[in-house]
């Protein structure tokens, strides 16, 4: 089972550890990805804000790249890329006029048959049983707040993979790792996304509410599957601490990093040294559990 | 059909074309604004923007800062009891505002422009270039040194590439942009 892989720009930069941990975990789970040839940026989250046809043409180029390569599906770990690829294919198949315009720009045809999935769906496909089977470390000491953010679940009329208000699919995977998913209120609240640089004050305020709610519900970590959310929730804790000296820290992990921890993979191999909020304490406990087992 | 002609404002026609929907379905329940993450930061609530359109006050909607502060989170769209896609209206209004030369929130607009430039030049987003171009274009906003404290850490951790990654199909992307702008006539 080879799945097409669209890493997206963030996974080469600020979200590098998402890519690193994903590939490392897949190695242990014996599954392979095939990267979309010479993929290009999907345009999120700027193009659709300023330019309709271009905002469709940019993701569409990757659909044609995948098609021409003989792929039948694409897994996009970044929630924004996933949302753009999925909604572009869906809206082009519904609107022949725009489709023709986009195809003219691309000088290629869209067949619209690609299955586009996110990282949660991908692990559902691999099967939680496989995670349970390969699990090496007990994570039952870890309370996890699953954070979906916006774009993973809010797909408009392009589809539905989980409930938009009370999603639970990430909790199922977290439960398979042995960690404890908690109930909390800010699972799908927006972190401010692309305003991170243009309106840092907005992002700071929104992320503070998310972090505080997770900690108020006894979360030890926040787990998510979006590089934009990660950089806002992880890196922007530094800004929050500047303005609120009493603010407590909470590590923010990619879902793939948590799975990797359960599989007994070392933190550095998962890219967990690349976070702004230190993950050392978590990894120390992980190592102790490892030793105890041996 | 009879020869009945509607005298729709061309702006309204364009909005409806870009959104494929009609604002008259909105009965102003305010659910969109109740869940909107940027409501606290914007002078005008999202439902007010639809109200402007309903009342024919298009200029007010196009000049509102709200359309630029919209984070495209889709909460409004997901919750609307009338299934009106408000996030798409915000996209359409931004596009029309640019066309008319209104940019009430220059920071957001400049960020988007700098972002698209990276794609046009390299085929992929180049974060260091994005931050550089955005900061230089927005020099008056005094944000030039903001985030300078995190940049070295990011470089050390390998999270910011020093050089852009140019894709093989770079030329094709550039051509696509050119073709699009030639046709549309804007930048």
């Amino acid at each position: 089972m080879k799945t097409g892989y669209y890493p997206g720009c963030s996974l080469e930069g600020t979200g590098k550890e998402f890519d690193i941990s994903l590939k490392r975990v897949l190695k242990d789970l014996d599954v392979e990805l095939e990267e979309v040839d010479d993929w290009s940026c999907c345009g999120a989250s700027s193009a659709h804000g300023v330019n309709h046809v271009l905002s469709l043409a940019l993701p569409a180029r990757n659909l044609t790249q995948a098609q021409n390569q003989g792929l039948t599906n694409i897994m996009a770990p970044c929630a924004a890329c996933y949302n753009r690829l999925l909604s572009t294919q869906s809206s082009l198949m519904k609107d022949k006029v725009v489709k023709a315009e986009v195809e003219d720009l691309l000088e290629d045809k869209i067949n619209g048959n690609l299955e586009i999935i996110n990282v949660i769906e991908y692990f559902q496909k691999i099967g939680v049983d496989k995670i349970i089977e390969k699990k090496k470390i007990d994570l039952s000491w870890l309370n996890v707040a699953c954070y979906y953010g916006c774009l993973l679940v809010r797909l408009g009329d392009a589809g539905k993979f989980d409930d938009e208000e009370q999603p639970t699919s990430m909790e199922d995977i977290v439960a398979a790792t042995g960690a404890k998913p908690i109930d909390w209120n800010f699972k799908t609240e927006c972190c401010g996304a692309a305003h991170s640089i243009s309106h840092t004050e907005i992002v700071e305020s929104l992320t503070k509410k998310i972090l505080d709610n997770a900690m108020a519900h006894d979360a030890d970590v926040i787990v998510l599957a979006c590089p934009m959310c990660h950089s806002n929730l992880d890196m922007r804790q530094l800004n929050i601490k500047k303005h609120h000296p009493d603010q407590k820290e909470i590590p923010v992990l990619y879902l793939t990093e948590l799975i990797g921890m359960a599989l007994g993979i070392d933190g550095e191999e998962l890219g967990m040294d690349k976070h702004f909020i230190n993950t050392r304490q978590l990894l120390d406990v992980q190592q102790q559990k490892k030793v105890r087992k041996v | 059909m009879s020869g009945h002609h509607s005298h729709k404002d061309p702006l309204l026609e364009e909005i409806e074309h870009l959104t494929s929907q009609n604002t008259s379905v909105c009965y102003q329940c305010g659910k969109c604004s109740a869940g909107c993450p940027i409501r606290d930061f914007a002078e005008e609530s999202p439902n007010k923007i639809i109200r402007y359109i309903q009342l024919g006050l298009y200029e007010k909607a196009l000049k509102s800062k709200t359309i630029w502060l919209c984070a495209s989170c889709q909460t409004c769209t997901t919750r609307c009891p009338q299934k009106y896609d408000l996030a798409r209206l915000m996209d359409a209004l931004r596009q029309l505002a640019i066309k008319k030369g209104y940019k009430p929130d220059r920071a957001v607009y400049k960020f988007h422009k700098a972002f698209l430039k990276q794609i046009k030049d390299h085929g992929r987003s180049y974060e260091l270039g994005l931050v550089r171009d955005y900061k230089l274009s927005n020099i008056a906003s005094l944000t030039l040194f903001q985030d300078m404290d995190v940049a070295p850490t990011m470089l050390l951790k390998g999270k910011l590439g020093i050089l852009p990654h140019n894709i093989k199909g770079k030329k094709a992307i550039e051509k696509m942009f050119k073709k699009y702008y030639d046709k549309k006539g804007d930048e």
Side-chain angles (χ1 to χ4, degrees), chain A residues 76-109:
Chain A
C78 167
C81 298
Y82 160 68
N83 196 304
R84 290 311 300 164
L85 292 176
L86 183 75
S87 57
T88 295
Q89 177 167 273
S90 155
S91 59
L92 290 182
M93 295 327 278
K94 281 177 199 148
D95 189 335
K96 285 200 174 98
V97 180
V98 181
K99 183 168 176 268
E101 254 183 279
V102 167
E103 287 178 339
D104 176 51
L105 284 179
L106 290 175
E107 299 174 2
D108 209 340
K109 297 265 174 246

Side-chain angles (χ1 to χ4, degrees), chain A residues 9-10 12-17 35-36 38-55 57-58 61 83-84 95 101 104-107 150-151 154-156 164-165 188-190 192-202 205-206 209 230 234-236 238-239 242 273-276, chain B residues 18 20 35 37-38 40-41 65 68-75 77-79 88 90-92 94-95 98 105 107-109 111-113 115-116 119 123-125 127 130-131 134-135 143 146-147 149-150 153-154 157-161 165-170 172-173 175-177 179-181 183-184 186-187:
Chain A
C9 305
S10 295
E12 288 194 321
T14 48
K16 212 167 195 165
E17 60 270 40
E35 193 163 314
V36 175
D38 203 41
W39 56 269
S40 48
C41 176
C42 75
S45 47
S46 280
H48 66 91
V50 291
N51 213 312
H52 185 57
V53 175
L54 201 58
S55 78
L58 288 170
R61 178 183 177 270
N83 196 304
R84 290 311 300 164
D95 189 335
E101 254 183 279
D104 176 51
L105 284 179
L106 290 175
E107 299 174 2
C150 307
L151 299 173
R154 291 198 271 272
L155 308 172
E164 287 116 340
E165 301 286 352
T188 59
E189 288 298 315
C190 177
H195 286 327
S196 185
I197 293 174
S198 56
H199 283 286
T200 314
E201 75 290 355
I202 295 183
S205 158
L206 296 176
K209 285 184 201 164
H230 190 272
D234 179 49
M235 184 176 79
R236 293 301 175 204
L238 305 182
N239 299 61
K242 259 188 224 162
D273 52 335
K274 295 187 187 297
H275 294 202
F276 281 86
Chain B
L18 283 172
S20 317
I38 59 96
D40 290 349
F41 307 94
K65 214 172 164 171
W68 294 98
L69 289 179
C70 163
S72 304
C73 75
Q74 317 264 358
T75 307
T77 298
T78 306
R79 293 182 182 168
R88 194 161 170 194
M90 295 290 175
D91 279 346
R94 279 190 289 257
Q95 287 157 24
I98 292 169
D105 192 308
V108 176
Y109 174 66
F111 178 82
H112 288 326
K113 268 196 82 172
F115 192 99
L116 288 175
I119 309 175
R124 289 186 193 165
S125 156
E127 285 158 332
L130 163 66
V131 173
Y134 166 71
K135 299 235 178 219
T143 59
Q146 179 204 302
D147 294 336
D149 49 345
V150 292
T153 318
M154 294 185 97
K157 290 176 190 276
K159 290 182 127 189
L160 271 183
H165 179 115
N166 289 307
I167 66 162
K168 281 181 263 162
K170 199 181 106 166
I173 301 267
K175 193 173 158 201
M176 204 168 90
F177 269 84
K179 211 164 160 186
Y180 178 79
Y181 287 127
K183 221 162 124 192
K184 292 281 159 186
D186 51 20
E187 352 125 52

Side-chain angles (χ1 to χ4, degrees), chain A residues 15-77:
Chain A
K16 212 167 195 165
E17 60 270 40
F18 198 3
D19 177 71
I20 295 172
S21 55
L22 171 71
K23 285 179 179 158
R24 183 61 191 82
V25 161
L26 294 185
K27 201 173 132 195
D28 277 19
L29 296 177
D30 304 316
V31 268
E32 263 185 280
L33 290 169
E34 186 180 336
E35 193 163 314
V36 175
D37 280 340
D38 203 41
W39 56 269
S40 48
C41 176
C42 75
S45 47
S46 280
H48 66 91
V50 291
N51 213 312
H52 185 57
V53 175
L54 201 58
S55 78
L56 295 168
L58 288 170
R61 178 183 177 270
N62 297 297
L63 301 178
T64 56
Q65 290 288 107
Q67 256 167 233
N68 300 341
Q69 194 177 336
L71 292 169
T72 55
N73 52 17
I74 305 179
M75 190 272 286

